[in-house]
């Protein structure tokens, strides 16, 4: 680990044991319809708990939106009839889609590790729900020990500050050094994500630990290179008691158009060829090992499996696999 600071073990985390663009820079907000009115959004703060060995893992819904013209983003190079046929084959519309933003919290028992921070105030009420979701777990922003940024797109970094003050006041920050350096050199005028990086991320530079693939964030959480979506895009394996989960961030941005057709070009991918190679490598590994994954833009609660089918992958949403808990046998229905 290359460090510009030392990760500190928090005394607070044991208390929690009991209980752009829209998706990335460059996607016009004029194409987005608000999912719920503000008053409904104030009540809607879901957090879904999963058990991974001794770890607790939570999917936190930062927000959701409905957008038109999905082929402006996915399968851009495909003939419209091919995109239409592929969509129909998977029972989804080719003219609209629903997107999700899903940060993840891992409670290791002595640390609370948050992966990505949502959009914050960038496009409320479609997003910015993260702190409300944490509150349903009786977790405050000040309780978070480590914030991991998988990459620097605005929908992952927008929640780092609130009213120009760092949201997670007691946290250390972790990211890939290639990723940080790319956005630092790019400058704030390049696009929305670059501006948000300059405003939210760069002022925290001295609080970052920079880790390379193979390094651990904390014991049980290991960085894996997943470059292409952005230059230093990094995903993470989470392992506890011989159980394994992968947090894939934006390796795939849609459960059909990115997984069933991993070579299709995606507007958000900076290096589109490398991103496609990464999708095949990461999801090929997930399929071979038959492990669950949480994808930042998968349908909430964003936990699922994949199997290799034909030239791509079939997404299998999780049901109760990681929610059996350790309570012992309960009464069965007659």
């Amino acid at each position: 680990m290359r460090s510009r600071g030392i990760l500190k073990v928090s005394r607070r985390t044991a208390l929690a044991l009991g209980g752009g663009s829209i998706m990335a820079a460059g996607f016009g907000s004029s194409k987005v319809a608000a999912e719920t009115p503000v008053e409904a959004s104030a009540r809607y703060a879901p957090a879904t708990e999963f058990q991974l060995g001794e770890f607790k893992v939570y999917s936190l819904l930062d927000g959701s939106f409905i957008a038109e013209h999905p082929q402006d983003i996915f399968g851009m190079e495909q003939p419209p009839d091919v995109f239409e046929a592929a969509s129909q084959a998977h029972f989804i519309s080719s003219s609209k889609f629903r997107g999700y933003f899903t940060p993840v919290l891992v409670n290791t028992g002595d640390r609370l590790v948050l992966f990505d921070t949502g959009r914050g105030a960038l496009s409320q009420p479609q997003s910015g729900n993260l702190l409300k979701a944490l509150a349903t777990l009786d977790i405050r922003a000040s309780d978070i020990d480590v914030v991991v940024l998988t990459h620097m797109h605005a929908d992952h970094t927008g929640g780092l500050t609130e009213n120009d003050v760092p949201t997670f006041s007691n946290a250390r920050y972790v990211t890939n050094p290639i990723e940080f350096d790319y956005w630092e050199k790019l400058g704030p005028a390049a696009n929305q994500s670059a501006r948000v990086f300059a405003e939210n991320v760069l002022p925290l530079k001295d609080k970052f630990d920079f880790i390379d693939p193979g390094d651990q964030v904390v014991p049980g959480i290991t960085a894996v290179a997943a470059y292409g979506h952005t230059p230093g895009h990094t995903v993470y394996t989470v392992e506890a008691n011989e159980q394994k989960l992968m947090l894939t961030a934006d390796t795939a941005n849609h459960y059909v158009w990115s997984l069933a057709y991993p070579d299709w070009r995606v507007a958000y991918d900076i290096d589109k060829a490398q991103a496609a190679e990464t999708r095949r490598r990461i999801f090929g590994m997930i399929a071979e090992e038959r492990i669950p994954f949480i994808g930042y833009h998968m349908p909430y609660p964003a936990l699922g499996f994949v199997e290799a089918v034909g030239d791509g992958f079939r997404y299998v949403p999780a049901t109760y696999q990681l929610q059996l808990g350790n309570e012992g046998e309960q009464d069965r229905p007659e």
Side-chain angles (χ1 to χ4, degrees):
M1 175 183 289
R2 279 186 255 178
S3 176
R4 295 177 187 171
I6 300 173
L7 289 174
K8 297 180 180 179
V9 178
S10 172
R11 64 213 179 277
R12 301 181 306 277
T13 51
L15 298 176
L17 278 172
S21 67
I22 288 299
M23 282 162 53
F27 183 53
S29 59
S30 62
K31 295 182 180 178
V32 178
E35 164 61 14
T36 56
V38 174
E39 60 269 22
S41 177
R43 299 192 302 269
Y44 193 57
T48 301
E49 178 179 318
F50 306 108
Q51 191 77 37
L52 189 78
E54 64 185 356
F55 291 0
K56 290 184 183 294
V57 179
Y58 301 89
S59 289
L60 307 169
L61 183 61
D62 184 64
S64 177
F65 65 92
I66 295 174
E68 298 179 346
H69 312 299
Q71 203 179 356
D72 289 349
I73 304 166
F74 304 100
M76 307 151 54
E77 79 289 4
Q78 298 299 315
D81 61 327
V82 171
F83 189 84
E84 171 69 23
S87 301
Q88 287 194 10
H90 291 86
F91 303 94
I92 56 175
S93 170
S94 63
S95 61
K96 285 185 178 181
F97 77 102
R98 182 185 292 272
Y100 303 82
F101 311 107
T102 313
V104 172
L105 178 71
V106 178
N107 187 336
T108 69
D110 61 1
R111 302 191 198 186
L112 290 177
V113 184
L114 178 67
F115 291 82
D116 296 322
T117 67
R119 287 183 56 82
L122 292 175
S123 65
Q124 292 176 337
Q126 296 101 318
S127 58
N129 184 70
L130 174 61
L131 296 183
K132 295 174 189 174
L134 287 171
T136 68
L137 306 173
D138 294 323
I139 295 173
R140 298 166 297 179
S142 58
D143 293 329
I144 301 299
D145 297 293
V146 186
V147 174
V148 180
L149 297 179
T150 61
H151 64 296
M152 299 301 173
H153 277 155
D155 55 326
H156 297 253
T157 62
L160 271 176
T161 64
E162 189 173 32
N163 299 320
D164 298 323
V165 175
T167 306
F168 306 98
S169 56
N170 294 315
R172 301 296 304 176
Y173 303 89
V174 172
T175 200
N176 181 293
I178 297 171
E179 183 73 4
F180 194 100
D181 291 346
Y182 170 82
W183 293 95
E184 186 175 20
K185 292 174 182 176
L186 189 61
N191 52 47
Q192 184 193 44
S193 289
R195 176 183 61 79
V196 174
F197 174 86
E199 294 175 355
N200 286 8
V201 183
L202 194 55
L204 300 171
K205 183 175 182 178
D206 290 342
K207 294 186 177 182
F208 268 88
D209 292 314
F210 296 92
I211 69 173
D212 297 311
D215 290 341
Q216 289 195 327
V217 177
V218 296
I221 301 177
T222 305
V224 178
Y227 305 156
H229 180 66
T230 60
H233 180 264
T234 301
V235 301
Y236 293 85
T237 57
V238 182
E239 297 185 70
N241 304 96
E242 300 184 353
Q243 297 183 40
K244 188 174 181 180
L245 164 74
M246 180 161 276
L247 307 179
T248 61
D250 283 16
T251 305
N253 280 1
H254 192 272
Y255 79 103
V256 171
W257 299 316
S258 290
L259 285 176
Y261 308 97
D263 294 328
W264 281 12
R265 293 166 61 89
V266 179
Y268 305 136
D269 293 340
I270 292 177
D271 186 329
K272 292 173 174 50
Q274 186 179 34
E277 293 173 1
T278 293
R279 273 191 289 280
R280 289 196 172 277
R281 174 173 55 84
I282 295 296
F283 288 103
M285 177 179 64
I286 290 171
E288 182 177 357
E289 296 187 18
R290 295 177 62 85
I291 61 172
F293 77 98
I294 297 177
Y296 194 78
H297 297 297
M298 296 296 108
Y300 189 80
L303 179 75
F305 301 82
V306 292
E307 64 173 343
V309 175
D311 198 37
F313 304 96
R314 182 174 75 93
Y315 179 65
V316 181
T319 54
Y320 54 73
Q321 291 94 331
L322 271 66
Q323 294 178 311
L324 296 176
N326 301 310
E327 296 85 1
E329 188 172 359
Q330 303 295 317
D331 291 340
R332 301 175 182 174
E334 295 296 332

